[in-house]
Amino acid sequence: MARAKPDQQESHRTMQVVNHVRAMIENGTLKPGDKIPPERDLARTLLISRASLRTGIGYLAALGVMKIRHGVGTFVADGPPDFGQDSLSFIGALHGFQSWQMFETRILLETGLAALAAERSRDEHQAALAEEVAEMFASVDNPTEYLIHDVAFHRIIAQASGNPILAAIMETIVSSMYDSRRKTVERSIDLRESAGMHREIYRAIRTRKPAEARRLMEQHLRMAQEAQGLERPVGKRGPTSGEKNGSADESQSAL
Amino acid sequence: MARAKPDQQESHRTMQVVNHVRAMIENGTLKPGDKIPPERDLARTLLISRASLRTGIGYLAALGVMKIRHGVGTFVADGPPDFGQDSLSFIGALHGFQSWQMFETRILLETGLAALAAERSRDEHQAALAEEVAEMFASVDNPTEYLIHDVAFHRIIAQASGNPILAAIMETIVSSMYDSRRKTVERSIDLRESAGMHREIYRAIRTRKPAEARRLMEQHLRMAQEAQGLERPVGKRGPTSGEKNGSADESQSAL
DNA sequence: TTTCTTTAAGTGGTCAGACCACAGTATACA
DNA sequence: TGTATACTGTGGTCTGACCACTTAAAGAAA
């Protein structure tokens, strides 16, 4: 019984706007950072009402493709690609994602990313990594500052992997973990040791040792996970029969 | 210089709706498949205009959290979690994702998923996998039917992994590759051999051999990739100067 | 001139109410 | 009994007005 693909496209007008923008992106008329015409103008151009246009723009904004700035204008998103601010967070709330699952996902992604970076990174990436490592060592006494370079380091690895899809996924995961990471970093933790691990990862990438880069990255992330007190519960293979979710057990939804 | 996190939240009213729905999801008032009140009612409840309410609903629909059915109502999404229909496709168009990158991502995810499934799968998952394998063998002469069971097989592995986040990402990737896969499967390819490989993967999972499950899954996917004639191009790391995309070169934008 | 304040223009955000389009059900008619 | 029609409920679109934020220009004060 081949059930047909549902394919519930959004309403006609919305799709009209979405497709229009998409076409402009695909043929190069619109690039990241560009500003699109004012709503009133664009609506007139597309022969639709401003309300409908706004529906379409809102849709694109939700996907993270457009950035809207009140009183200024609407722009095509730039910077590292991601899947939108709330997407993961929201789906997580809906399906009860747990923080150990976030970490597991992150480890799988970043170990792969590190290995790829060891194979494909270019000089510019390696230089950037070296710089971030240096900055990390320079800010071991400033947790807030340190975190910025930590994030930058992992982001550069993602870029160096040569796979923007993996990078985008990683970006989405990491950004939704940002808050809890900040708290963790701010309360103690040996930043000097952490910086040292980053340096080792950098060296493995620079000397093109994928297996070692992978191993070091995994070691680093598992340590970070433990520091956050989120060791994966033992035994228990997924929810057994009952209790899909008790209402509000705070230890869970760390999204 | 720690630049502050931009954090451009959407407009006030939109967030009001989003947060309201989110709260209802988090406290269990709203569950997958549930219908939310009619727009006119809900707008009155939240003391906002219907237009603003619709902006918020549209936002949620874009994230894949809500499903809107014209003339029927608006529902909380059910079924396997994903990141929305267009998200990957659109971001891909914006950043020039290529099909070999899709495959690379898929391989990384699914090999990890297979290994986890070998560790954590329960009887029900194994039974479901066995059934899908049987169905695949039974439909080796019906490509369309075969694909359905193929997809189901991989989806069950994702579930069996016990990590819904990885499953959701996988779901998003796979669904955006669905079209090109259908074409591939429909034109030749030895489905009997393919079914055999799935059976081997199933056996590795059933006998709890993560490493073997991973190896077999990788082998399977690489073969599928080659069948699609999408071997990763050599040299060329990212788009050089010119020719981002000629209009309709089918080999590239397999999104 | 320089600086601060005020004003204006441009752009997105919200509102109100009307009407259109679709899906499912109830009703009337054959 | 069965088919065609009308009705009801729900989302989709339109119009046009007004609000809120941002920026820059114009004017006033130093």
Side-chain angles (χ1 to χ4, degrees), chain A:
Chain A
M1 280 297 105
R3 56 267 168 90
K5 187 171 50 173
D7 227 25
Q8 28 85 194
Q9 71 271 346
E10 311 307 322
S11 50
H12 184 196
R13 298 303 192 208
T14 302
M15 277 323 246
Q16 187 176 336
V17 175
V18 170
N19 289 330
H20 182 261
V21 172
R22 186 191 184 105
M24 291 186 74
I25 288 176
E26 287 179 339
N27 79 2
T29 308
L30 226 44
K31 287 182 293 186
D34 284 357
K35 180 181 177 182
I36 69 174
E39 297 182 345
R40 292 162 178 84
D41 294 356
L42 191 48
R44 204 175 326 111
T45 301
L46 297 181
L47 300 175
I48 62 180
S49 72
R50 194 182 153 212
S52 293
L53 174 79
R54 280 177 57 73
T55 305
I57 299 295
Y59 186 91
L60 293 169
L63 294 185
V65 176
M66 309 284 292
K67 302 293 182 185
I68 306 174
R69 296 175 56 190
H70 188 179
V72 181
T74 303
F75 305 80
V76 180
D78 56 355
D82 64 66
F83 284 21
Q85 300 288 309
D86 307 315
S87 53
L88 214 194
S89 162
F90 229 111
I91 300 170
L94 190 56
H95 294 88
F97 291 170
Q98 306 190 339
S99 39
W100 69 264
Q101 295 165 342
M102 295 277 283
F103 259 103
E104 187 171 85
T105 303
R106 191 181 166 204
I107 290 174
L108 176 63
L109 290 170
E110 293 223 46
T111 53
L113 244 13
L116 287 175
E119 292 175 354
R120 302 176 186 160
S121 63
R122 288 178 290 174
D123 292 347
E124 60 202 79
H125 298 132
Q126 295 170 6
L129 287 175
E131 183 172 340
E132 294 301 337
V133 170
E135 294 282 3
M136 277 188 258
F137 274 107
S139 53
V140 289
D141 295 320
N142 183 343
T144 304
E145 185 73 16
Y146 183 90
L147 219 199
I148 292 173
H149 297 295
D150 188 344
V151 170
F153 180 87
H154 290 270
R155 189 175 281 162
I156 293 168
I157 289 181
Q159 280 186 263
S161 76
N163 190 327
I165 304 175
L166 284 171
I169 298 172
M170 205 277 270
E171 185 72 25
T172 305
I173 303 270
V174 169
S175 73
S176 78
M177 296 175 78
Y178 193 86
D179 283 342
S180 50
R181 287 183 74 194
R182 192 182 47 210
K183 293 176 188 169
T184 303
V185 171
E186 280 174 352
R187 66 154 187 267
S188 66
I189 285 191
D190 189 343
L191 295 184
R192 219 168 304 271
E193 180 185 6
S194 174
M197 298 186 77
H198 283 93
R199 184 177 52 191
E200 287 188 64
I201 293 171
Y202 156 68
R203 285 175 175 162
I205 290 174
R206 197 169 102 105
T207 55
R208 304 216 177 281
K209 297 174 181 172
E212 188 170 346
R214 163 175 265 124
R215 182 181 63 77
L216 290 169
M217 179 62 87
E218 178 166 0
Q219 178 186 340
H220 164 54
L221 291 177
R222 291 206 184 283
M223 183 164 294
Q225 181 176 13
E226 283 174 24
Q228 208 158 320
L230 294 171
E231 191 47 87
R232 175 166 156 257
V234 293
K236 283 296 284 293
R237 281 166 182 155
T240 325
S241 49
E243 287 322 291
K244 187 73 175 251
N245 50 1
S247 46
D249 40 336
E250 40 88 27
S251 70
Q252 307 277 314
S253 57
L255 298 178

Side-chain angles (χ1 to χ4, degrees), chain A residues 5 8 18 22 26 59 67 81-83 86 89-91 95 101 104-105 116 120 148 163-164 239, chain B residues 2 8 18 22 59 67 81-83 86 89-91 95 97 101 104-105 116 120 122 163-164 179 245:
Chain A
K5 187 171 50 173
Q8 28 85 194
V18 170
R22 186 191 184 105
E26 287 179 339
Y59 186 91
K67 302 293 182 185
D82 64 66
F83 284 21
D86 307 315
S89 162
F90 229 111
I91 300 170
H95 294 88
Q101 295 165 342
E104 187 171 85
T105 303
L116 287 175
R120 302 176 186 160
I148 292 173
N163 190 327
Chain B
Q8 27 87 186
V18 170
R22 185 189 185 108
Y59 187 91
K67 302 293 181 185
D82 64 64
F83 284 20
D86 306 316
S89 162
F90 228 111
I91 300 169
H95 294 87
F97 291 171
Q101 295 165 341
E104 188 170 85
T105 303
L116 288 174
R120 302 177 186 160
R122 288 177 290 170
N163 189 327
D179 283 341
N245 50 1

Side-chain angles (χ1 to χ4, degrees), chain B residues 30-43:
Chain B
L30 226 44
K31 287 182 293 188
D34 285 356
K35 180 181 176 182
I36 69 173
E39 296 182 345
R40 293 163 177 83
D41 295 356
L42 191 49

